[in-house]
Structures are given as C-alpha cells and as structure tokens.
Amino acid sequence: MQTNIGRLIALGLISVSAAHVAAADVIQGTVTDASGDAPLQGAIVSVDGINRSATTGRYGDYRLSDLPPGTYSVSVSYIGADPVSQTVTIDGADTVLDFTLGSDVRYLDNILVVGSAAAQAGAINQQRASNAIINVIDSDGLGNFPDTTVADSLARVPGLSIETDQGEGRYVSIRGINTDLIAASINGVRTPSPEDRRGVLLDGVPSDLLDGIEVQKSLTPDVDADSLGGVINLKTISAFDRDGRFIRAKLEGAWNEISEEVSPKATLTYSNTFNDTFGVALSVNYQDLRIESHNNEMGEWGLDEDVSPFYFPNDDYEQRWYGINRERIGLVANFDWRASENTDLYLRTLFNNYEDDEVRNKFEFRDLDDAEDGTINETNAVFGLNEVDAEVRARREVRKIQTIALGGETQWGDWQTDYEVSYAYAEEDDSDNHDVTFRFKKIQKAFPEDVTFDYSNPKKPVFSGGALLDAVYDPANYDLDAFEQEFTVNEDTEWTGKFNVSKDSLVGNTPVTWKAGLKYRDREKTRDVNLLIYEDDSINLADYARDSFISGWRLGNPQPTWPDPGLTRQLRGTFGPGDLDEEGSFFDSNGEDYKIDEKILAGYGMGTFDIGRLTLVAGVRFEQTDVNLEGRVVLEDELTATPTKFSNDYTNVLPSVNAKYEFTDKLIGRAAYYAAVVRPAFGEMAPFIFINDDRDEAEIGNPGLDPLEANNFDLGIEFYPTKLSVISAGVFYKDISNAIFPATFDIADVPGSVDLSGIPAEFLNGDDTDGGEIEEISTFINVGSSKIMGIEFNYVQSLGDLTSALDGFLLSGNLTITDSEATLPDGRDVPFLKQSDTIWNIAIGYDKGPWDLRVSANYRGDYLDELVAPNLDRMTNDRTLVEASAKYKINDNMQIYLEGKNLTDEPEYYYFGDERRLSQYDEFGTTVVFGARLTY
C-alpha cells in the first residue's frame, strides 16, 4: 500500500508538470497598515479586468504569477479599511508592489492592535479570505478577554464549548464533537496528550504565549484527516509579525473570592529582526495560580418501586474541599531566516511545564443503600449510618508539553515547496502523591439512633442527627483504612516528517494551483501505573488532625480539615512489608499499563481552481495506519500479569471538496464535503484485561475497535454589509460510522466483535465451582450509524458603521444549535457524549480613545457526560458565564486593565438523568484580575 500511495503522488506531480503554463510574470509584495510596520493577514489583492487574485499570508505577503504583459489596476480589499488601488505595468519581469491601508497601528498586545476593533477586523478578514470554513481569534482577541487558558478563549468561537476543571477551561468540543475526536496543533504540529487519551488538555498552555488561534471546521486534503469536528491550531509569535524590535512586559494579579489569595502572573516578550533577513522571537510566561473550590457528590441513585416509584440515593454522599496551586511556566523561542530571495527557513519551539499541586479533603457518608431499611421518600431519608470516611489526597501532578519544528519554504518560479521535521513530546508525572483514608466503622452498634438526610435541595443536601453527628465529627472515632502511594507516568512522543510541493499554472484561462505531498507520523504512547496500598488499623486519625472545619464553607454540612496533609505525609516510608496489601497493589499496578506504537503514512493530491467568482479546492488524501499494542492480562487472585500483544493495519481514502462563491463583493457562499477518520482512544484500544474475581467481572480494552469514520457536509452564507461587520449562517451534517461507546454486558450477551480469547478458559466455562466465573464484561464497542447536525449563526458589527452616535461601540454574538443520535447495542438512542444542543455567546464593547471596555456572556447547554442507565445517565447542567474587562491606555507604551471572571458566581452541576438527582456540584467563586502592560 505504501508503494501504491507513492505511485499516486508521483502521478499527481507528473500531471502538475504537464499542465499548460503561460508566461511566468509575477507581481508580489506586502500589505501593511499605514505605519508600514504591521502586516495585514487576510487582505485580498485583485488584478482588475482579469480573473486573478491572491490573499496575504501571515506576514502580509502575497504573490500573483502567470500574468500576461500589460497595464493593470491592482486593488486591495481589507474589512475595516478603505480599499486601495495602484496601477502597474507588467513587461516580462517580476514586479514588487507594496500597499499600506488604514491608520497607524500601535502595538499593545501580542501583535498589531488598535484595541478590539483591530482584533475583530483581523479575524473577519482571515475567515473571509480562507478557502475552507474557519474561525479565527486574533491575538488581541486573546488579550481582550480575561482568559487564563486557551480553552477559555475558544469558548467564544461559534460552535465551540468547553469542559472545565476547578473553574478553568480544560477540554474543547467542536460542534458537539468531544475532545477525543478533534485535533489540536501548535504551529501545525499535532499536539500530543499527556493523559491516557487522544484529547489534548488546553488548560496548560497560557494564552499569552500565542499569536492567534485558528479553528478549521472543514478539512482540505493537505490537512491531517484525524478529526471529526475540526482542527484547533495554536500559532505562536514570529519576529516577522512586526518590523524591527518589539518588547512587551505584562504583570498581573488575580484575586479569588473563595481562596481570598492573589495569584501573580507575568509575561515577557521580545522580538527583533536583523537586516530584514533574520528574526528572533522569545516569550516567557509564569503564573502561580491559587484557587479553592467546594464540591459535593452522590455516587448512585436507586429506584423504589413498592408504591409510588421514585429514585433515592443508595450509594454514598461525599463533600470535597480542594486547595489548588497551579504553576505554569511557558517558553516560546522562534527563529526565522530568509536565507535567500527564494528560501525561508524556521525553527519553532515551545516548552510548557504545568504543575498542579492539589490537596483534597473528602468527607464521605458510605452505604446509603441502608436507607431502604429506614423511611425514604423523594426528598429525604431517615436511617442509621453505617460507615463514614475522612480522606485526604496530596498530589503534585507535573505535565510537560514540548514541540520543536524545523522547516522552510523554497520558491522556484511557479513551483513552491515546503518541508518540515518535527518532534512533539508530552508527559504526565503523577508520582509525588499520597491518598490516605480513615474510617469510622460499625456506627450503628455504638449509635443506634437515626440521621435524617434531606436532599430536597439536590445541590446542597443536609444531614441532621444530634449526638450521632457529634460522633461523626470527632476524629478520635476514625482508624486508618488505607494509605496509598501512586507512581504513574504517561508519555506521548511523536516524530513527523512532511514534504509538500505546489505549482501555479493555467488550465485554459483558469488559474489553478496544484499541490501534492507526503507525511509520515511515528507516535509512541506509554502508560506505567504503580500503586502501593498499605493497611494498619492501629493508626488513629486524632494524631493527624489539626484544625476542625473549613471556614467559609459553602455547602450544607460542615467540612473537616482533617486528615491534615502535612501530618499524613509523615506516614510515607513508615509501613512494613506486613502492612502491604499485595493483591490490591498488584492488581492496580499492572492492569492499566500499556504501550502503543502508531505509524501513519499519508499522501494527497489537490487543486485550487479560480473559476471566475468560484474558488474550488478538491482532492483526495490517503492515510495508511499501522498500530502495534501491548498490554496485560491481570488475574487478581493469582497475582499474575501476562503480557498480551495485538497489531492492526488499515488504509483510508479520504476525498474532500471546499467551494467558495462570491455572489458580490459583500456576499459569499460556501459549501464543503470532507471525509475523516479518527483512531480509537489509547485507553479504549489498549489490550488490557482485568479479572476481578471478588466481583465476578472483567474489564477489557478492545484492540479490535474500528476507527471512527465520518462524511461531513457544510453549507453557509456570509454577508459583509458595512465597513466592519459580518453576518453569517451555516448548516452542517455529519454521518458517522463506528462511533465508540463504553458498554457493559452479561457474559451470555457479549457481541462477537469483542474478543474474549485473552481470558483464561476457567473463567468462561460456566462452572463457578472454581470460584472465578465471570458474569459481567465491561469494554468499549463500535456502534452503527450515528448522526450530528446543526446550524450556526454569527454576527459582528461595529455600531459606529450604523450611526455616528454609537461610534466606538462593538457588538458580537453567535448561536449554535445541534442535534445528534447514536443507537446503543441495547437499542437505546442517546446523543453524542459531551454535545450541548445550544451554545451562544454575546459581547458588547466600546473601543475609542484611551478606553477599551467589554462585557461578555457565554452559554453552554446541558449535555450527556457519561452513560449509566436509562433515566440515570450522568448529565452536565447548562451554564452561563459572565465576564468583563476594562482597559485604559495611559500613553502609547503603558496600559492598565481590570477584568472580572465568573461575575455571577455560576456553579457547575452534574445530575443523574433528572436535575433532582445530584451527581456533582462545584462552586468556584468570582475572580478579579488587575494588571498592566508595558510595550516598546
């Protein structure tokens, strides 16, 4: 198959060279603001009278080739600035023609900025000029919102929503497609994942290190096809984004109302160009974030069917206090060298270190199923307590992401090549932690009275019970149940090489850019889990408790501060061999280990056709995947871990077509189709088998999973009615095959697609006399056809274009409505995981003179978070976040600002099937950010 792909690419290159080529006269140059220092990306340069146009790139550069001799009027269109034209005569030689537009632009943030208006203009122009369906956040769009993480910034893009962790954006969903099914890149290099999945955490990369973000929703053949929803590309700074030296320092503090601490953050950026041929861009960012959150959770709910059916809590109830210190250190070092008139070379590097130092105190009321023996109804239960746990986890998790890309571009007349070798590495080190649980046992024997559990307010349930609760809150009643230490490391490494070649030509009178390329990706993913569990019930909690309760606690019941993490840390290394739980330690240390090698060879061919007002990009991509997997079969009772291996290979043919039609200069229609393939998540296809004989169940990975495949369709319209505005609408439809869902089966009902050959025969022989017969299998399966469909609206308007009375005011808003359906093996129809049916954003701003003000709101509807059972699936409730920022320019070099996050103190709520049934409730509080920027 590799040979076949090579032949296809070679055939494409021969076709390119055979195309009819006219005279190779060229107009090239740059488009900048009036200062000449700030390049404008996304400007459209057109040659009047003939069907020729080009779009400026990142550095404001453009190139028009194959022009017949003559005299032409060349014009530039850029939303937010008046058009500019120049007359030029082509006489057989290359012509340099530069343009300047608009007013003088000053630097206040990552790139050229005149406040919010410039950010809006930059984003709109890039989206308008693109031949694919994209959304852009210009760098000042990052600076204009109170965003700590990239995920927070992306929440404002049409069709995107985020999952949060401790109030910060972490994972991103595009059009209802969860993070494991979309792709993220840094400067075009696929970002590895430090977790045991494909989804990339976007809370570790500080937004201050970026120059902009692009979300590509329709794929072209020259883009990796490993995404059902789209590709998020994070662009870091380049020295050639500006002319000459640039220095910016940023210093800020963030105050959170729950933690009542100020968290410092600082960024220093430097770039310079030397002799217009060599550029250096450096940026370093540091943040020490201190936050606190208050949480309570319910384990499960059961159904009482005796008289009037209702659900009641029947597992456990937990309260959790989190004290978190997140330290982020980021570094970007980029070097650009214009080695000759025809060749540009670059080295782009990013290093990010994220340390999550977390203390979690958990207080857990166990075995609430005893409520069935008491008095229960839909709002409260009266029963006797059985066990209560007091637990502390002290964890220092270190995550690293590194990308290095070395490459360049070379122009030979009408031919252009680009090439790159890249290295990407991610690591999650979870080896500095301990988790210690103390338990108050056999409560009913010593305290036979009942407690009342009132869950009429499902978000904040309350226990009451007099003397019994006094005993529950006495640390002397708790003895050690387990002390756990974990030493787990996840690593993700990818080496990539790619080569692309393109050629401008004429086919008849139609300008065509032919393009073809090859790419090779070699990825290795490893997970190594090691857990030690110790037991010694002679250790009493009273010796590991200091203060009594958390002050300012927001939930229904008091929250103890014990066990104290500083005191329990002293238990590390004090246990003897006789205290080790060998069976539990062995089982948990071996079952999740795996190593996966994934190699992908891709090739493509495509053409970009300028047919009058129609621009058509069409082609096909081939991807061959070769994967080798290693895991273990773990038997709990025998303390054995047997290596298991699996391999697979497959090839996908992936066509795509993107069309853009300019009805008028202000009205553009778009249509797109592309095929995509997403390989199973690593934790889903790893060939592990856990056999837990105590519970008569097995958990197994499924290395035989098929990759997800999708046919994606888009149709949209864009209208640019005034100088700085856009109104757009679009519909999309995704027909998905082989979607992957978790599933649990009785042993007799396991489908043939799940391979049970790795399970020893004695566990499947139907004879329970050996004490190990498996009754239940939990695994991952492919389901049949699934569908996602939706509609998007977007509106951006400079209100000053409508009336001079509103000069300086900016309005933006977007709405996405989606629907999805997948059918599980039991016949149940469910929506896609993590898909919100409604997402909207709205922002109003004022940008004039020294002031830049903005208020924004972001809404994300509820979504399916986890499959449990009919009427009991875990759902995430809808959420609206309100934020604001005020910036004041003291002079051309100094700006101060004040920002507010989560101004309405919005919590996050998860529930089981119905909002009356608590799963998880978190409060994070409001955060106020204050700071200053100094720019030269």
Side-chain angles (χ1 to χ4, degrees):
M1 182 56 66
Q2 294 181 10
T3 302
N4 291 337
I5 292 177
R7 289 174 178 171
L8 288 167
I9 298 299
L11 180 60
L13 295 177
I14 293 171
S15 300
V16 167
S17 62
H20 173 70
V21 180
D25 294 336
V26 172
I27 299 176
Q28 59 187 343
T30 59
V31 179
T32 67
D33 77 303
S35 71
D37 295 332
L40 299 180
Q41 182 177 359
I44 298 176
V45 183
S46 303
V47 181
D48 298 342
I50 62 174
N51 177 32
R52 302 308 306 276
S53 65
T55 300
T56 56
R58 174 173 182 171
Y59 306 126
D61 54 308
Y62 73 93
R63 189 174 191 274
L64 290 158
S65 62
D66 295 330
L67 296 171
T71 299
Y72 303 99
S73 176
V74 182
S75 61
V76 176
S77 169
Y78 187 84
I79 293 173
D82 294 325
V84 174
S85 298
Q86 294 188 55
T87 300
V88 64
T89 298
I90 302 296
D91 56 4
D94 291 356
T95 301
V96 176
L97 190 63
D98 297 330
F99 292 86
T100 59
L101 301 179
S103 58
D104 191 6
V105 176
R106 300 299 181 192
Y107 300 127
L108 291 180
D109 212 342
N110 294 342
I111 61 167
L112 63 112
V113 179
V114 289
S116 301
Q120 295 282 25
I124 291 172
N125 279 283
Q126 292 174 56
Q127 291 165 192
R128 179 186 68 152
S130 174
N131 291 328
I133 297 173
I134 69 170
N135 292 111
V136 173
I137 304 177
D138 208 30
S139 67
D140 192 53
L142 302 179
N144 264 327
F145 292 103
D147 299 325
T148 298
T149 73
V150 171
D152 288 330
S153 298
L154 286 166
R156 279 170 265 278
V157 173
L160 270 65
S161 62
I162 62 172
E163 291 182 70
T164 62
D165 179 75
Q166 306 301 341
E168 290 191 301
R170 171 163 286 189
Y171 303 107
V172 175
S173 168
I174 301 178
R175 291 174 163 179
I177 302 291
N178 76 68
T179 191
D180 287 308
L181 306 181
I182 63 177
S185 301
I186 298 175
N187 298 317
V189 177
R190 279 291 186 262
T191 308
S193 171
E195 298 184 301
D196 65 331
R197 58 190 299 181
R198 292 189 186 271
V200 178
L201 305 100
L202 292 175
D203 62 345
V205 180
S207 60
D208 285 323
L209 293 181
L210 301 182
D211 189 52
I213 305 175
E214 179 183 279
V215 180
Q216 184 169 343
K217 294 179 178 177
S218 67
L219 304 187
T220 49
D222 54 346
V223 176
D224 292 312
D226 55 350
S227 175
L228 298 191
V231 179
I232 299 169
N233 187 37
L234 313 179
K235 298 187 295 183
T236 60
I237 60 173
S238 168
F240 290 116
D241 290 331
R242 311 161 181 84
D243 184 29
R245 187 179 65 183
F246 171 79
I247 299 174
R248 187 200 65 209
K250 179 179 176 183
L251 183 64
E252 72 178 37
W255 180 86
N256 178 265
E257 67 169 317
I258 297 183
S259 67
E260 297 183 338
E261 292 191 67
V262 175
S263 301
K265 178 181 173 184
T267 306
L268 179 63
T269 301
Y270 166 83
S271 69
N272 205 353
T273 57
F274 304 91
N275 299 322
D276 292 329
T277 59
F278 186 73
V280 177
L282 306 172
S283 185
V284 61
N285 172 273
Y286 174 80
Q287 182 186 36
D288 184 11
L289 180 64
R290 298 177 183 274
I291 53 179
E292 183 178 320
S293 66
H294 299 176
N295 155 288
N296 60 187
E297 302 184 11
M298 199 84 76
E300 294 179 6
W301 290 72
L303 179 63
D304 185 289
E305 300 180 285
D306 291 343
V307 182
S308 177
F310 62 88
Y311 288 91
F312 68 97
N314 70 340
D315 185 21
D316 62 86
Y317 168 75
E318 302 176 359
Q319 291 186 164
R320 302 183 178 199
W321 172 86
Y322 290 88
I324 301 166
N325 181 195
R326 289 178 170 171
E327 185 180 75
R328 296 178 172 96
I329 300 175
L331 173 66
V332 166
N334 291 340
F335 305 90
D336 292 270
W337 180 31
R338 292 174 174 169
S340 69
E341 183 179 342
N342 299 320
T343 297
D344 294 341
L345 303 175
Y346 61 81
L347 173 64
R348 297 176 181 144
T349 67
L350 178 141
F351 171 81
N352 189 74
N353 191 83
Y354 171 99
E355 294 188 11
D356 190 348
D357 198 344
E358 175 183 291
V359 173
R360 183 197 70 187
N361 278 101
K362 183 175 78 172
F363 200 65
E364 178 180 351
F365 294 84
R366 294 168 51 84
D367 301 329
L368 297 189
D369 53 347
D370 289 347
E372 285 189 280
D373 299 326
T375 303
I376 58 173
N377 58 44
E378 292 182 87
T379 61
N380 63 75
V382 180
F383 60 98
L385 284 179
N386 187 17
E387 294 181 336
V388 179
D389 282 356
E391 178 184 340
V392 67
R393 180 181 68 185
R395 183 198 68 183
R396 179 175 171 269
E397 181 181 272
V398 181
R399 298 204 307 258
K400 298 177 181 178
I401 295 178
Q402 303 172 37
T403 62
I404 302 172
L406 176 64
E409 298 180 356
T410 298
Q411 186 87 36
W412 288 302
D414 294 331
W415 291 85
Q416 180 172 309
T417 61
D418 64 85
Y419 32 86
E420 182 181 89
V421 176
S422 64
Y423 167 80
Y425 175 77
E427 177 186 271
E428 182 180 75
D429 189 331
D430 216 355
S431 58
D432 182 9
N433 65 68
H434 71 266
D435 196 319
V436 55
T437 303
F438 291 86
R439 181 164 294 171
F440 185 5
K441 299 180 180 180
K442 301 178 181 179
I443 299 175
Q444 293 180 25
K445 290 185 177 180
F447 301 92
E449 63 263 36
D450 290 338
V451 296
T452 298
F453 186 38
D454 183 349
Y455 40 90
S456 57
N457 178 358
K459 298 177 181 179
K460 298 183 179 182
V462 178
F463 276 93
S464 58
L468 175 51
L469 288 186
D470 291 339
V472 165
Y473 291 112
D474 182 354
N477 289 322
Y478 294 77
D479 297 320
L480 182 68
D481 179 67
F483 182 94
E484 300 181 5
Q485 276 191 270
E486 185 178 357
F487 309 89
T488 296
V489 176
N490 297 314
E491 292 183 289
D492 193 354
T493 306
E494 180 168 323
W495 288 91
T496 302
K498 65 178 183 180
F499 178 82
N500 301 297
V501 59
S502 63
K503 187 181 190 305
D504 295 330
S505 66
L506 291 173
V507 177
N509 293 319
T510 300
V512 181
T513 299
W514 302 100
K515 190 175 182 182
L518 288 171
K519 186 172 186 178
Y520 181 72
R521 301 170 61 186
D522 188 350
R523 186 173 188 177
E524 180 180 276
K525 185 86 170 185
T526 62
R527 178 168 172 81
D528 183 16
V529 179
N530 294 281
L531 189 69
L532 298 177
I533 304 173
Y534 297 97
E535 300 173 347
D536 183 354
D537 59 10
S538 68
I539 299 175
N540 185 265
L541 176 56
D543 297 324
Y544 298 90
R546 283 178 175 158
D547 299 328
S548 54
F549 299 102
I550 300 291
S551 62
W553 182 247
R554 292 183 164 205
L555 302 182
N557 310 283
Q559 176 69 15
T561 60
W562 33 262
D564 184 283
L567 296 176
T568 54
R569 179 178 291 272
Q570 300 171 15
L571 289 170
R572 295 188 183 188
T574 64
F575 296 95
D579 300 321
L580 180 67
D581 176 3
E582 293 188 29
E583 187 174 280
S585 299
F586 182 87
F587 188 70
D588 291 337
S589 295
N590 287 275
E592 296 184 46
D593 291 357
Y594 62 75
K595 177 181 177 182
I596 298 177
D597 289 313
E598 183 179 81
K599 296 178 174 60
I600 301 171
L601 177 64
Y604 72 91
M606 59 183 280
T608 301
F609 302 82
D610 290 328
I611 310 171
R613 293 185 174 273
L614 173 66
T615 301
L616 187 68
V617 182
V620 64
R621 185 178 184 89
F622 304 86
E623 292 194 355
Q624 181 187 18
T625 305
D626 187 355
V627 60
N628 293 284
L629 310 98
E630 299 179 16
R632 294 177 181 176
V633 179
V634 182
L635 308 182
E636 183 182 34
D637 61 337
E638 299 179 12
L639 300 184
T640 60
T642 305
T644 179
K645 295 184 178 182
F646 189 89
S647 61
N648 194 11
D649 65 89
Y650 47 88
T651 300
N652 298 93
V653 180
L654 306 159
S656 76
V657 178
N658 282 259
K660 179 174 71 173
Y661 188 83
E662 298 182 25
F663 294 97
T664 69
D665 291 342
K666 294 185 176 182
L667 186 65
I668 297 175
R670 295 183 185 273
Y673 160 78
Y674 74 93
V677 56
V678 177
R679 289 111 191 142
F682 297 105
E684 296 169 345
M685 66 176 176
F688 64 83
I689 298 177
F690 292 107
I691 298 179
N692 188 325
D693 60 338
D694 291 337
R695 300 179 181 177
D696 299 326
E697 64 185 19
E699 297 179 31
I700 66 175
N702 189 354
L705 287 170
D706 292 323
L708 285 78
E709 299 175 344
N711 291 308
N712 305 268
F713 302 88
D714 279 88
L715 188 65
I717 193 79
E718 300 167 3
F719 179 49
Y720 302 88
T722 63
K723 187 174 180 180
L724 182 55
S725 66
V726 60
I727 303 171
S728 64
V731 295
F732 58 88
Y733 176 79
K734 298 177 181 295
D735 185 7
I736 302 168
S737 302
N738 305 324
I740 297 173
F741 282 85
T744 299
F745 302 96
D746 291 335
I747 190 65
D749 300 325
V750 177
S753 60
V754 179
D755 184 6
L756 302 180
S757 61
I759 299 178
E762 63 267 23
F763 292 95
L764 298 171
N765 59 16
D767 179 8
D768 198 26
T769 58
D770 55 17
E773 179 64 19
I774 293 175
E775 299 178 0
E776 189 175 85
I777 297 286
S778 296
T779 187
F780 301 92
I781 60 166
N782 293 113
V783 302
S785 178
S786 307
K787 296 177 176 60
I788 296 177
M789 62 198 75
I791 185 168
E792 292 178 343
F793 300 94
N794 186 40
Y795 179 46
V796 177
Q797 179 70 62
S798 171
L799 299 181
D801 291 349
L802 305 179
T803 171
S804 59
L806 295 177
D807 186 35
F809 283 93
L810 299 166
L811 175 68
S812 64
N814 58 72
L815 169 68
T816 303
I817 300 172
T818 59
D819 188 27
S820 66
E821 182 178 291
T823 302
L824 302 180
D826 61 4
R828 186 158 67 104
D829 291 331
V830 297
F832 249 60
L833 294 173
K834 314 291 186 181
Q835 184 189 29
S836 300
D837 56 3
T838 304
I839 302 166
W840 57 257
N841 298 276
I842 189 168
I844 182 72
Y846 178 77
D847 177 18
K848 188 175 182 180
W851 288 101
D852 192 347
L853 311 174
R854 184 170 295 241
V855 177
S856 66
N858 167 259
Y859 172 83
R860 184 258 300 141
D862 55 5
Y863 61 78
L864 174 63
D865 184 64
E866 181 182 341
L867 290 171
V868 178
N871 300 317
L872 286 173
D873 289 334
R874 176 175 151 109
M875 304 291 296
T876 303
N877 205 19
D878 57 79
R879 193 175 187 214
T880 303
L881 295 177
V882 179
E883 301 174 344
S885 66
K887 300 178 181 179
Y888 182 79
K889 183 174 68 173
I890 296 175
N891 54 44
D892 285 346
N893 303 112
M894 174 68 76
Q895 183 187 57
I896 57 175
Y897 56 92
L898 180 68
E899 301 172 337
K901 300 180 63 175
N902 193 19
L903 291 175
T904 57
D905 194 11
E906 184 83 354
E908 185 139 49
Y909 182 51
Y910 303 79
Y911 57 89
F912 286 116
D914 188 290
E915 291 184 32
R916 294 172 295 177
R917 298 193 284 269
L918 167 70
S919 173
Q920 179 179 332
Y921 174 83
D922 300 88
E923 291 202 12
F924 313 107
T926 296
T927 298
V928 177
V929 180
F930 50 92
R933 294 185 181 93
L934 183 64
T935 308
Y936 286 98

